[in-house]
Amino acid sequence: MQNENIIKDPNELLEKIDNLHPSDIAYSLRKIENESIEDFFYILKTIPDELLGEVLLELPDNLRDAAYEELSIQRLTDAVDLLESDDATDIIQEIEEIDKQKAKEIYEGLEEEDKKDIEWLKRYEEDEAGAYMQTELFSAKLSETIGESVYRLKNAKANDELVNIHQVFVVNDEKSLIASISLEDLIIFDFDKTYEDIINEADEFKYKPFKVSDNTHIDEVAKHFEQYDLNVVAVVGYQDMLMGRITSDDILDVIEQNATEQMYQLAGVHEDFEHEDNLITTAKKRAIWLFLNLGTAILASLVIGLFDQTIQAYVALAILMPIVASMGGNAGTQTLAVMVRQLALGDIELENAKSAVRKEVFISLVNGVLFAIIMGFIAWLWFDEKLLGLVIALSMVINLFSAGFFGASIPLLLKKFNIDPAVGSTVLLTTVTDIVGFFSFLMLAKVILL
């Protein structure tokens, strides 16, 4: 279990640091920082260079920024120098946001080859596959023998130039990607044969590589990993020229990040500001959504105000109203969460959305009828009024139907207008379920009871 590797004592952590995974070190540092920022910085400055870069990447944003400011240029340069190209680029870009001069000096301290890789990766947008690829990979030319390439791989591994290798990418003389062969297959081949021999002897699609263009959206890449259960995918540029590779650990980070963003957006919270030390800035960002919620609450109150005489005649209505609104809100939130997630995963497209909407409406109707019966009997027994039970039962069916319909439709409507379905859906849905719930309940009461 992870907790067994979490060390809260600074001295003990330093003693065992060489035997711990970077993520365990980072998590231990988080615990230590809660008790003493001085101990946190002391350990950070003592971590070996070969671990420091990976530990920094595992720290939360606020602690990582503090580490960048505290650590010397030389320490950060040494740490970045030992990282793979994609991780090195991430750290350089993060330091640039805090201190451009410091980032420049770190960059200037790197080897020329590393500089070229970083400059190449920095030109990509943050949501493009190229921004997530690493240039370090194991490739071989068609004319090369298996034995020659394996010898190169052994040397590269011995010199710590390559890690996490799963296959060899085979390219032609123009460096265009031709095939991808797993190391499992590689070791059983005749080492005197060339890759061209192996590919020509195999079935046409046996060694067909999984590849994505360097400008492919990273969410599309993540779908490839999930759909085909991949460990790595090749990244290609113009005319299928092999540029780099994306590994599953980077995609897991992407999936986690997307899930976190959706969770925050559904709650009307901006992730970028939740880690800010400036509490006023965070409060202002949350206040925008609270202001919108205030507007929807006023709308719901105006609806209630239209039936003030009905409520005065039947005080029990005021007691039962929150039940109708709450049930509709919860049912709508369930539908909304399912639809937003399925849209994000690509399980639902606008073209085939009708069946998904029908499904959610049917589920909401079934639950509406079930809880209408339950709440109808409760209201009847509670206030000794059969018609009151009928009113809340009918209102429950209407509101849960609207919750299912609008909970499924609102994300699709936002998607159609190229708006992130996770943003704003909750506010719109709350408005609909509150207004429909209160209006249907009070209008039915006015018609049936008065």
Side-chain angles (χ1 to χ4, degrees):
M1 293 178 64
Q2 188 188 43
N3 289 339
E4 295 176 358
N5 295 325
I6 304 308
I7 301 172
K8 299 180 181 180
D9 179 75
N11 294 323
E12 184 183 354
L13 178 58
L14 287 174
E15 289 175 5
K16 298 181 178 179
I17 203 161
D18 290 329
N19 298 318
L20 294 174
H21 190 278
S23 64
D24 291 329
I25 297 172
Y27 198 83
S28 298
L29 282 171
R30 290 169 60 183
K31 296 296 183 182
I32 290 171
E33 190 271 339
N34 288 333
E35 301 296 327
S36 170
I37 188 67
E38 290 80 12
D39 288 339
F40 170 77
F41 285 132
Y42 172 71
I43 295 170
L44 203 61
K45 293 175 181 177
T46 313
I47 294 175
D49 290 338
E50 60 269 20
L51 289 173
L52 180 57
E54 295 183 55
V55 171
L56 288 172
L57 290 168
E58 295 290 341
L59 289 172
D61 293 346
N62 59 327
L63 292 184
R64 195 157 64 242
D65 290 347
Y68 292 151
E69 292 178 351
E70 184 71 18
L71 291 170
S72 68
I73 291 172
Q74 188 57 52
R75 283 240 60 199
L76 288 169
T77 302
D78 292 339
V80 170
D81 187 54
L82 294 168
L83 289 172
E84 294 172 339
S85 54
D86 57 335
D87 291 333
T89 305
D90 287 342
I91 288 185
I92 291 291
Q93 289 180 311
E94 288 173 357
I95 296 175
E96 280 180 346
E97 294 176 4
I98 301 170
D99 187 336
K100 288 187 177 181
Q101 182 58 34
K102 191 171 190 176
K104 182 180 179 182
E105 292 184 41
I106 294 169
Y107 173 80
E108 292 298 333
L110 300 174
E111 296 178 2
E112 287 302 318
E113 186 176 348
D114 293 333
K115 289 181 185 179
K116 289 179 182 178
D117 289 339
I118 290 172
E119 280 303 312
W120 182 261
L121 295 177
K122 282 174 67 177
R123 74 186 184 91
Y124 291 102
E125 298 293 333
E126 63 179 1
D127 58 358
E128 290 182 324
Y132 289 82
M133 73 178 179
Q134 54 188 235
T135 56
E136 299 88 354
L137 48 75
F138 177 38
S139 64
K141 289 186 177 181
L142 282 168
S143 57
E144 190 174 11
T145 66
I146 308 299
E148 290 170 343
S149 67
V150 170
Y151 179 76
R152 284 193 299 106
L153 176 61
K154 288 171 64 177
N155 287 335
K157 290 294 291 181
N159 296 322
D160 292 326
E161 295 173 5
L162 292 176
V163 295
N164 200 22
I165 298 299
H166 299 280
Q167 70 285 99
V168 55
F169 295 112
V170 184
V171 298
N172 60 20
D173 291 337
E174 288 75 37
K175 296 185 178 179
S176 295
L177 181 62
I178 303 299
S180 173
I181 303 176
S182 70
L183 297 188
E184 289 180 339
D185 292 331
L186 199 65
I187 60 175
I188 65 172
F189 294 147
D190 182 346
F191 276 27
D192 292 328
K193 286 188 175 182
T194 65
Y195 282 96
E196 190 169 15
D197 294 334
I198 298 298
I199 293 170
N200 289 336
E201 292 171 2
D203 295 335
E204 182 179 358
F205 298 106
K206 182 173 178 60
Y207 300 121
K208 183 180 179 181
F210 281 98
K211 59 187 177 182
V212 295
S213 174
D214 57 346
N215 59 7
T216 302
H217 198 288
I218 193 61
D219 290 345
E220 290 298 317
V221 180
K223 289 175 185 176
H224 282 297
F225 271 81
E226 291 180 308
Q227 183 175 356
Y228 299 109
D229 195 23
L230 303 177
N231 291 317
V232 66
V233 67
V235 181
V236 297
Y238 178 66
Q239 293 187 338
D240 277 352
M241 183 178 292
L242 181 62
M243 312 287 290
R245 61 175 183 154
I246 298 176
T247 53
S248 57
D249 58 325
D250 292 318
I251 293 302
L252 286 173
D253 291 339
V254 171
I255 294 171
E256 181 182 0
Q257 178 67 19
N258 287 344
T260 301
E261 285 179 2
Q262 287 179 9
M263 182 177 66
Y264 276 130
Q265 289 169 349
L266 282 171
V269 176
H270 199 297
E271 181 189 9
D272 291 344
F273 294 93
E274 289 309 302
H275 302 294
E276 288 275 353
D277 291 330
N278 190 329
L279 300 182
I280 300 300
T281 302
T282 304
K284 285 180 180 178
K285 289 296 176 180
R286 292 193 188 185
I288 294 173
W289 287 98
L290 291 175
F291 181 79
L292 291 173
N293 281 324
L294 176 62
T296 63
I298 291 173
L299 285 175
S301 296
L302 290 174
V303 171
I304 295 171
L306 297 174
F307 299 94
D308 56 341
Q309 293 181 352
T310 305
I311 296 173
Q312 289 175 10
Y314 271 86
V315 179
L317 297 176
I319 299 172
L320 296 174
M321 273 195 306
I323 298 174
V324 177
S326 177
M327 290 296 292
N330 285 329
T333 299
Q334 289 175 341
T335 302
L336 185 67
V338 170
M339 292 297 291
V340 168
R341 189 60 182 149
Q342 288 183 329
L343 281 169
L345 293 174
D347 294 339
I348 299 176
E349 299 293 342
L350 294 176
E351 295 75 17
N352 63 350
K354 288 184 179 179
S355 60
V357 174
R358 283 197 296 267
K359 174 186 174 183
E360 294 301 327
V361 169
F362 177 77
I363 292 171
S364 296
L365 268 177
V366 170
N367 282 329
V369 172
L370 171 64
F371 288 101
I373 295 171
I374 294 172
M375 197 58 223
F377 275 109
I378 291 175
W380 174 14
L381 297 173
W382 191 349
F383 298 101
D384 196 23
E385 177 63 69
K386 291 182 181 179
L387 291 179
L388 184 59
L390 176 63
V391 167
I392 195 170
L394 292 174
S395 178
M396 194 79 74
V397 172
I398 293 170
N399 202 23
L400 263 69
F401 167 80
S402 69
F405 178 76
F406 287 104
S409 301
I410 287 173
L412 293 170
L413 184 63
L414 293 175
K415 181 78 171 179
K416 185 175 182 179
F417 289 100
N418 294 320
I419 301 173
D420 190 337
V423 178
S425 293
T426 305
V427 174
L428 293 173
L429 180 63
T430 300
T431 304
V432 171
T433 54
D434 282 354
I435 291 176
V436 171
F438 290 140
F439 185 83
S440 63
F441 182 54
L442 295 174
M443 178 58 77
L444 286 168
K446 184 176 182 179
V447 172
I448 295 174
L449 297 178
L450 296 184

